[in-house]
Amino acid sequence: MKFQNRGAVVARMLDTDELYTAVERVFSSPGEASTTDLSKACRFCATDEQSVQAFEGVQDLKGALLGLLNVSLEGRGDEDTSEVDVRRARLALRTLINAANRSKKFAECVTTETLTLFRTLIRIPELRTETFAALVALARPMRIACGLSDNYTILFGELVLLWESQELNDSHRSWISALVSVHLEEDFGFLASHFADLSCDEFSALLHITGVLIESYHGETVTKVHPNNISFCVNLMERILYEFGEGVSSDRRLPYVEQLSYAVDIIASAALRDTEFSTQLLDRPTAVEIIVDILEAVLDAQWMDENDGFSELTPPAHPDRPQREREVRCLRVSESPQLSALSAAIRGSSVEVRATLKREAVRAIGHLCYERPALRVAAGSRGAVLAVLRCARLTDKDAPFIVQWSIATLRQLCLGCPENQKFILEMDQGAEDAGDDRCRWGEEGEVENEERRPKKSPGGAGRRLL
């Protein structure tokens, strides 16, 4: 038995030496390494810490990293045929990933020259899983070494657009989401810098990913986000409203509406994590006031659609049925250049974007006012109670559960808030007074007495006298 154990140890040592040598050959000259050596190096870097000593001893680690990327693009098999060897390309990328996860020194060898190679790799469907995993493994050092490069911005823009495309599956999207989450947590100016660098469509996609990450929960784990990135979303809404007031260009109107929808969604989810973002959202009423203004603009766009072409002289289609009273346009929106321009842009957006923006605004108001008396008063003074009440009327263009969200938000606005409760009470009293007037006054404004009221037949309604 002792001889058998000793033989197994010797065999394991020989196998380790062989793997160690294979790693040295691969990292010394990746382009000349065989597929067998790549397979051994990939396995050794993934399972044994001794592999770090093997590849960190190579003189040109930057050349090794670039060489592995070039091997994955060349796809040359051992027979040197013209056909692409997907297995060899995947082994090269997996070796790079395992080495980067093992050694910080190797990961920090990333240079701007790798950006063009990665832009090419993400266009190869067979290699996307490994390519996205490599980008996640190199995320931190790549941001430091390549963050100022134009190719870095272009690469990131292409990645977020891919996330929204139909070409990727959920597994691919999870890798891109992981890449974004790393930057959201560690880079305090992540969203702000990309707002300046990315196109409107690319930045909208980035906000979409951010909203999904903040809202998603994996057990008890939540995506960590630097508070400055949440503050930026509030500043973004202010910036967009300002630009609408100044006259935004036509090519930015619809993307800005979409960005508002995603920003409101982010704030709605962040409001539930008050321990992290209390300074950015809860200690000042700016966020809830802006969102109430956005909701008013959405409702104004809805009012304009419903009353487009309406005339007081137009006879009702069914005069025998009760007629709904015509709503009055919000005076604050009509007198505000910012909100009027935003309302016009919302009318031009798709039904899905409008419905989502309306629902997320209601949800955000409810979350922000949850157990926060100061924000309840601020939202109520801005007109949130009436706006949310108007959202409780379901239309055929509304998003699902808008009525339920409106009821829940109305409760948060009025719970423990005498100011907002008084507003509801005055509305109820006005309705009761109007109801009493309808009972006591006739259609021509004359008081009806008992003699003028039509009397019922003795047989009751529906019976005729013989």
Side-chain angles (χ1 to χ4, degrees):
M1 181 66 69
K2 291 182 179 180
F3 288 106
Q4 291 179 356
N5 292 338
R6 185 177 301 174
V9 171
V10 172
R12 192 180 302 110
M13 291 178 60
L14 292 175
D15 185 55
T16 301
D17 292 340
E18 183 180 352
L19 294 174
Y20 196 97
T21 305
V23 170
E24 289 182 331
R25 286 197 296 266
V26 168
F27 281 81
S28 298
S29 182
E32 299 177 2
S34 65
T35 304
T36 303
D37 283 345
L38 281 171
S39 178
K40 292 179 180 179
C42 178
R43 185 171 71 253
F44 192 45
C45 291
T47 59
D48 201 323
E49 293 183 358
Q50 297 182 25
S51 60
V52 177
Q53 301 175 1
F55 63 76
E56 281 191 352
V58 176
Q59 293 182 355
D60 188 9
L61 277 181
K62 292 183 178 180
L65 194 151
L66 285 172
L68 289 171
L69 290 176
N70 283 317
V71 168
S72 63
L73 283 174
E74 292 171 0
R76 178 186 59 81
D78 292 339
E79 293 79 11
D80 199 15
T81 61
S82 59
E83 296 180 359
V84 176
D85 189 348
V86 177
R87 178 173 178 269
R88 177 180 173 83
R90 286 175 174 169
L91 286 173
L93 285 173
R94 291 174 183 178
T95 303
L96 185 152
I97 295 166
N98 294 335
N101 289 329
R102 284 284 182 192
S103 170
K104 183 179 179 181
K105 179 181 178 181
F106 177 75
E108 290 176 347
C109 292
V110 64
T111 62
T112 55
E113 298 175 14
T114 61
L115 299 175
T116 304
L117 301 177
F118 275 117
R119 289 186 61 197
T120 306
L121 285 169
I122 64 176
R123 288 167 169 78
I124 305 176
E126 296 83 1
L127 302 179
R128 277 177 176 163
T129 299
E130 288 77 11
T131 302
F132 295 153
L135 286 169
V136 173
L138 299 172
R140 294 174 177 86
M142 183 178 287
R143 185 183 74 243
I144 297 173
C146 312
L148 298 179
S149 173
D150 292 339
N151 280 332
Y152 181 78
T153 302
I154 295 173
L155 172 63
F156 212 93
E158 292 173 346
L159 286 172
V160 295
L161 288 181
L162 268 177
W163 188 91
E164 283 198 327
S165 70
Q166 300 296 326
E167 300 178 24
L168 302 188
N169 54 37
D170 291 340
S171 176
H172 292 156
R173 289 189 180 89
S174 66
W175 282 112
I176 299 178
S177 298
L179 176 65
V180 173
S181 67
V182 170
H183 297 309
L184 281 174
E185 179 182 0
E186 300 180 2
D187 187 356
F188 64 90
F190 175 65
L191 292 180
S193 61
H194 281 87
F195 174 72
D197 296 335
L198 298 179
S199 66
C200 285
D201 292 337
E202 292 170 347
F203 188 71
S204 297
L206 179 58
L207 288 178
H208 189 187
I209 299 173
T210 304
V212 171
L213 286 172
I214 294 180
E215 192 173 1
S216 62
Y217 292 87
H218 302 283
E220 297 182 355
T221 304
V222 296
T223 302
K224 295 183 179 180
V225 181
H226 196 284
N228 283 10
N229 289 315
I230 300 299
S231 294
F232 170 78
C233 291
V234 180
N235 297 334
L236 175 65
M237 294 189 301
E238 287 185 290
R239 167 73 179 268
I240 291 176
L241 288 179
Y242 173 80
E243 291 203 10
F244 271 114
E246 295 297 317
V248 66
S249 58
S250 58
D251 59 327
R252 290 179 175 267
R253 289 163 60 90
L254 298 184
Y256 273 176
V257 173
E258 191 174 9
Q259 290 176 18
L260 277 178
S261 177
Y262 292 136
V264 172
D265 179 29
I266 292 170
I267 293 174
S269 300
L272 297 178
R273 296 157 62 173
D274 53 352
T275 56
E276 298 179 58
F277 310 119
S278 59
T279 304
Q280 290 72 28
L281 296 177
L282 312 181
D283 294 344
R284 54 177 184 169
T286 306
V288 71
E289 290 175 350
I290 295 175
I291 294 174
V292 172
D293 288 346
I294 293 173
L295 181 58
E296 290 279 16
V298 175
L299 293 172
D300 184 74
Q302 178 179 314
W303 182 91
M304 295 290 289
D305 286 343
E306 293 176 350
N307 294 273
D308 191 14
F310 180 86
S311 175
E312 297 289 349
L313 302 178
T314 304
H318 304 283
D320 57 325
R321 299 179 183 178
Q323 301 298 316
R324 184 173 64 88
E325 295 183 3
R326 184 188 181 191
E327 295 181 359
V328 180
R329 187 181 184 187
C330 180
L331 185 62
R332 188 162 63 88
V333 176
S334 61
E335 293 181 348
S336 171
Q338 296 179 349
L339 299 183
S340 297
L342 176 59
S343 174
I346 292 173
R347 290 190 69 189
S349 61
S350 65
V351 175
E352 181 181 359
V353 172
R354 293 170 58 178
T356 302
L357 178 58
K358 180 180 178 181
R359 181 189 61 193
E360 296 306 324
V362 172
R363 189 170 72 97
I365 294 171
H367 287 178
L368 287 169
C369 294
Y370 177 70
E371 295 184 353
R372 294 164 191 135
L375 294 189
R376 289 170 181 165
V377 175
S381 62
R382 203 76 168 186
V385 176
L386 182 58
V388 173
L389 276 173
R390 293 175 63 187
C391 294
R393 180 175 65 87
L394 184 65
T395 67
D396 56 349
K397 297 180 180 179
D398 279 330
F401 304 108
I402 180 65
V403 176
Q404 289 81 355
W405 278 115
S406 300
I407 295 172
T409 299
L410 188 63
R411 181 178 184 273
Q412 296 303 329
L413 283 168
C414 297
L415 189 64
C417 183
E419 295 84 354
N420 294 342
Q421 292 175 8
K422 181 181 178 182
F423 181 83
I424 297 290
L425 181 61
E426 291 175 351
M427 291 181 61
D428 291 341
Q429 290 177 347
E432 290 177 1
D433 294 342
D436 293 341
D437 289 342
R438 284 192 294 269
C439 293
R440 291 184 286 107
W441 292 83
E443 295 180 355
E444 298 178 358
E446 298 177 359
V447 179
E448 293 183 347
N449 52 30
E450 294 295 332
E451 296 179 356
R452 293 190 55 184
R453 290 180 183 175
K455 297 182 179 180
K456 296 182 180 180
S457 60
R463 296 182 61 183
R464 291 179 294 179
L465 296 177
L466 297 177

